[in-house]
């Protein structure tokens, strides 16, 4: 049961488990989530080694060391568990075990649920509840967001997390098996916690940010193309608009990757995304993505979720297609 022979059925099984169950709340309360272990590792290393008394060179070196140690442990554990399943279990059971171990790294269901939790109160006119829900999935200031700001934040998070939480983990599971998917999640977690440009993290999180950019390069563009193809269900005009906005605006985003699925989503929906936002009370004049589009509204979150579901189904078909071709 080599990795190349088992990757596609493992991926399909892991995606099915995630789509049906997500990461169940009772399981989370009892054992937490593996990403929480990564976060604790990073916080402890950051508290010990990311000190203002150290120079930028030393902080960059310690940040790289933090990342390398975590990747060795995570990659080694993934490789070992996958090898044990291949050696001691019959193929169907071994694939199921590896799928169970890969399952928590995917976020199809939880991403849908978190974004739907914003749409429901917003459509009911309960803006305070919608702000509270969107605050759980974005890092920007949300206290003063109006309906448009809430909708925009939710749609942007859905588009960006489609890459980080679905396409990229699936991609690295298919490419490198269990070690690949968990190495990606470890790097992505490190980037979200310390891969920032503020003075406190710039040096220490440099390695995490650069590696995350590299690991997301192909998945981000695959996510954008998946959204574009999924938008064709709404007609050629939506697909062409998605293509035009993606080509023109994807590089306007501060991230070299996040702009691709966001631009594809903005064009497909015909709305403006990104633009001016505030972090920690500081307003940032970010450029618009899809500037010719209209202002986002609450109902656009539901439209975005429908597009997201179609894009996820497309990933299922593509993964299943590879399995059929290699059978």
């Amino acid at each position: 049961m080599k990795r190349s022979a088992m990757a596609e059925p493992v991926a399909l099984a892991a995606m099915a488990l995630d789509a049906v169950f997500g990461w169940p709340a009772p399981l989370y309360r009892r054992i937490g989530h593996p990403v929480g272990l990564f976060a604790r590792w990073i916080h402890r290393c950051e508290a010990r080694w990311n000190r203002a008394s150290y120079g930028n060179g030393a902080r960059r070196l310690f940040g790289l060391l933090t990342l390398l140690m975590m990747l060795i442990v995570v990659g080694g554990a993934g490789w070992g568990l996958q090898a044990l399943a291949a050696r001691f279990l019959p193929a169907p059971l071994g694939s199921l075990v590896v799928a169970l171990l890969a399952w928590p790294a995917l976020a199809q269901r939880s991403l849908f649920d978190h974004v739907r939790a914003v749409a429901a109160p917003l459509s009911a006119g309960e803006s305070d509840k919608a702000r509270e829900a969107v605050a759980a999935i974005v890092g920007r200031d949300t206290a003063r967001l109006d309906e448009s700001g809430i909708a925009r934040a939710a749609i942007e998070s859905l588009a960006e997390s489609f890459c980080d939480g679905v396409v990229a983990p699936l991609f690295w599971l298919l490419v490198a098996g269990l070690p690949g998917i968990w190495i990606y999640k470890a790097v992505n977690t490190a980037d979200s916690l310390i891969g920032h440009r503020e003075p406190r993290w710039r040096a220490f999180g440099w390695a995490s940010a650069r590696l995350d950019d590299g690991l997301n390069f192909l998945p981000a563009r695959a996510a954008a193309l998946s959204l574009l193809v999924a938008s064709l269900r709404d007609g050629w005009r939506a697909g062409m608009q998605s293509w035009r906005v993606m080509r023109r605006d994807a590089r306007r985003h501060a991230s070299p990757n996040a702009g691709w699925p966001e631009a594809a989503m903005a064009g497909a929906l015909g709305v403006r995304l990104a633009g001016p936002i505030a972090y920690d009370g500081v307003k940032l004049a970010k450029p618009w993505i899809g500037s010719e589009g209209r202002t986002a509204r609450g109902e656009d979150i539901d439209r975005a979720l429908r597009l997201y579901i179609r894009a996820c189904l497309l990933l299922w078909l593509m993964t299943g297609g590879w399995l059929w071709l290699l059978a």
Side-chain angles (χ1 to χ4, degrees), residues 14-277:
M15 292 173 73
L17 287 166
D18 176 54
V20 174
F21 300 109
W23 189 243
L27 194 59
Y28 180 82
R29 287 193 297 268
R30 183 174 294 272
I31 66 171
H33 191 279
V35 167
L37 297 175
F38 304 155
R40 287 194 288 274
W41 177 296
I42 294 162
H43 284 311
R44 288 175 181 173
C45 291
E46 199 263 346
R48 179 184 294 254
W49 289 334
N50 188 28
R51 298 180 180 179
S53 58
Y54 297 152
N56 284 340
R59 294 165 83 176
R60 183 174 289 194
L61 182 61
F62 282 133
L64 176 60
L65 180 61
T66 297
L67 182 64
L68 286 176
M69 289 192 303
M70 184 167 62
L71 296 188
I72 290 170
V73 172
V74 171
W79 177 85
L81 290 169
Q82 183 170 278
L84 287 172
R87 182 173 179 83
F88 295 108
L89 297 174
L93 181 57
S95 294
L96 178 59
V97 168
V98 176
L100 285 167
L101 294 171
W103 161 34
L106 294 164
Q108 297 168 104
R109 178 64 178 268
S110 64
L111 178 56
F112 177 89
D113 290 344
H114 278 91
V115 176
R116 187 71 186 91
V118 180
L122 195 59
S123 63
E126 299 174 333
S127 296
D128 289 341
K129 290 184 178 180
R131 289 189 196 94
E132 182 179 346
V134 82
I137 60 173
V138 299
R140 70 192 67 180
D141 297 344
T142 59
R144 297 183 180 180
L145 292 181
D146 57 9
E147 178 188 0
S148 174
I150 295 169
R152 198 173 77 198
I155 294 169
E156 289 172 21
S157 180
L158 178 65
E160 183 174 351
S161 298
F162 176 52
C163 175
D164 294 350
V166 182
V167 180
L170 175 62
F171 176 85
W172 289 110
L173 176 61
L174 290 170
V175 168
L178 197 61
I181 193 172
W182 282 112
I183 284 175
Y184 171 77
K185 292 302 292 185
V187 173
N188 189 245
T189 303
D191 177 65
S192 68
L193 293 175
I194 59 175
H196 308 301
R197 296 182 179 181
E198 289 82 0
R200 173 179 171 180
W201 293 288
R202 184 175 297 165
F204 188 77
W206 174 84
S208 298
R210 297 291 75 77
L211 185 54
D212 184 73
D213 288 344
L215 293 180
N216 275 308
F217 184 86
L218 290 177
R221 287 143 183 85
L225 290 175
S226 298
L227 290 168
L228 187 157
V229 173
S231 74
L232 293 172
R233 173 66 175 77
D234 298 322
W236 283 101
R237 184 176 180 180
M240 291 304 297
Q241 181 68 6
S242 179
W243 172 252
R244 283 194 296 269
V245 174
M246 182 177 66
R247 287 189 62 195
R248 187 193 66 204
D249 293 349
R251 294 178 180 85
R252 292 183 178 180
H253 200 284
S255 164
N257 296 313
W260 290 88
E262 285 191 25
M265 179 76 80
L269 300 178
V271 300
R272 290 181 294 172
L273 298 178
I277 57 175

